[in-house]
């Protein structure tokens, strides 16, 4: 049974493993015999403070004269306090920091019947087991998805936006908009990351003097971001006052997968699932690839307009009558608070500047400008409302 040690505390005995195989195949575990099992780490190049590990568990079991192959994806989630990145949190903020990250949300999602409530066109992986390892970590055993590459053209983008609108507008999904006791809102974001990390950086001088930033974020852009920083409490309260709806919370392409036999979308990574201002999911759908440097910040306004229109159609599909102006304002607030104010590439400032890093910083600057412009365009809607 190669590699089982990689799972550490997330490993299970053979009887439990066969129970999961039985659930996946609709047979009796007593009729199964484990033939082999191989565990490997799942490669993933994006860090997460609440993910301790990702693994593939593959093997075979016999069922009478049949051999049943099985394949599971195991994700171990953890408290922020378990992350190596927790070491950089000042001692006086650690209790607050640990409590401010609702790391159990994903486990709550897979323990719920959310999969049965998603609108047609959206699915999520089937969970065969969700195990508490201790008070600060959980192992989630999922069926392995057969992911296929797909072109994200205008049709696919707008299809995703419409389905995210249906997700937000669905009365059945709304019943699970908050999973578990750890509700997290944009107000928590203000009192947490914004107040303790983002705003102090923006209001200091060091970040703006860094060559990578000085060459790409001009004085007008800096002034615009600081104006938003000065309005941040007002904007957060405005966001809280808008209609609230279920949101995936990180509806980027990485988390909207195409799988074999399913032309639509399988949602993964529910760590940011929450109730948020209407239009919340439009942000990451639009800019997620730009933030990662995988796509240029071009045609954002045209793409955004098409996505918003599709999202509103999705709301109407579910009988939701929230005004379009509210969607546009919620989206603009989400964009500027979560993307615009965090667009300065501070994570790269300890590296030697290269042409590639300057190009990346320039895309981040273009993204920041777009966020400010989107907020400006909807300020009139807010005043009218």
């Amino acid at each position: 049974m190669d590699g089982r040690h990689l799972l550490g505390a997330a490993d299970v005995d053979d009887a439990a493993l066969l129970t999961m195989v039985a659930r996946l195949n609709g047979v009796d575990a007593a009729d199964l015999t484990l033939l082999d099992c191989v565990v490997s780490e799942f490669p993933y190049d994006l860090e997460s403070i609440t993910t301790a590990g990702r693994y593939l568990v593959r093997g075979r079991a016999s069922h009478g004269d049949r051999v049943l192959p099985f394949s599971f994806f195991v994700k171990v989630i953890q408290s922020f306090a378990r992350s190596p990145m927790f070491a950089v949190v000042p001692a006086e903020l650690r209790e607050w920091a640990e409590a401010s990250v609702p790391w159990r949300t994903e486990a709550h999602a897979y323990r719920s019947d959310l999969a049965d409530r998603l609108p047609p066109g959206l699915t999520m992986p089937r969970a065969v087991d969700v195990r508490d390892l201790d008070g600060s970590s959980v192992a989630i055993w999922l069926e392995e998805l057969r992911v296929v590459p797909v072109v994200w053209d205008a049709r696919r983008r707008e299809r995703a936006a419409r389905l995210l609108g249906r997700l937000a507008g669905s009365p059945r999904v709304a019943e699970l908009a908050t999973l578990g006791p750890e509700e997290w809102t944009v107000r928590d974001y203000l009192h947490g990351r914004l107040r303790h990390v983002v705003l102090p950086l923006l209001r200091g001088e060091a970040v703006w003097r860094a060559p990578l930033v000085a060459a790409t974020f001009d004085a007008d852009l800096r002034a615009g971001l600081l104006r938003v920083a000065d309005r941040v409490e007002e904007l957060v309260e405005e966001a809280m006052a808008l209609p609230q709806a279920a949101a995936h919370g990180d509806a980027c392409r990485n988390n909207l997968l195409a799988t074999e036999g399913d032309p639509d979308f399988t949602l993964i990574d529910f760590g940011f699932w929450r109730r948020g201002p209407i239009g919340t999911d439009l942000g990451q759908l639009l800019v997620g690839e730009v933030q990662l440097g995988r796509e240029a910040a071009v045609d954002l306004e045209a793409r955004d307009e098409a996505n918003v229109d599709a999202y509103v159609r999705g709301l109407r599909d579910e009988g939701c009558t929230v005004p379009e102006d509210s969607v546009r304002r919620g989206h603009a607030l989400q964009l500027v608070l979560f993307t615009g104010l965090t667009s300065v590439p501070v994570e790269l400032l300890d590296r030697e500047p290269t042409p590639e890093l300057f190009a990346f910083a320039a895309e981040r600057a273009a993204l920041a400008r777009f966020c400010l412009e989107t907020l400006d365009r909807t300020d009139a809607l807010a005043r009218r409302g």
Side-chain angles (χ1 to χ4, degrees), residues 229-241:
D230 290 339
R231 297 177 61 195
V232 72
E233 293 195 13
E234 162 206 334
L235 297 177
V236 165
E237 290 309 312
E238 184 186 346
M240 293 293 298

Side-chain angles (χ1 to χ4, degrees), residues 136-216:
S136 297
S137 61
V138 177
I140 303 172
W141 287 69
L142 306 170
E143 62 177 338
E144 183 187 356
L145 300 176
R146 305 298 180 185
V147 178
V148 296
V150 65
V151 176
W152 275 82
D153 55 13
R155 181 177 180 180
R156 186 164 184 82
R157 290 193 301 268
E158 291 164 32
R159 174 67 173 162
R162 186 165 188 168
L163 289 173
L164 291 169
R166 292 198 64 177
L167 179 79
S170 166
R172 296 192 70 226
V173 173
E175 295 174 3
L176 295 180
T178 300
L179 289 166
E182 311 110 332
E183 184 172 10
W184 187 93
T185 71
V186 66
R187 195 177 284 136
D188 294 296
Y189 176 62
L190 166 64
H191 296 316
R193 188 181 179 209
L194 277 182
R195 182 165 290 168
H196 293 295
V197 179
V198 177
L199 298 183
L201 283 170
L202 292 179
R203 288 171 174 155
E205 290 294 329
V207 68
W208 302 106
R209 293 193 185 117
L212 197 63
V213 177
T216 51

Side-chain angles (χ1 to χ4, degrees), residues 26 39 41 87 147 164 176 222 225 263 305 323 328 367 369-370 373:
V39 178
E41 291 193 53
V147 178
L164 291 169
L176 295 180
R222 176 183 178 179
L225 291 172
E305 188 65 26
R328 292 182 180 277
L367 181 55
R369 288 189 189 92
F370 173 76
E373 290 164 0

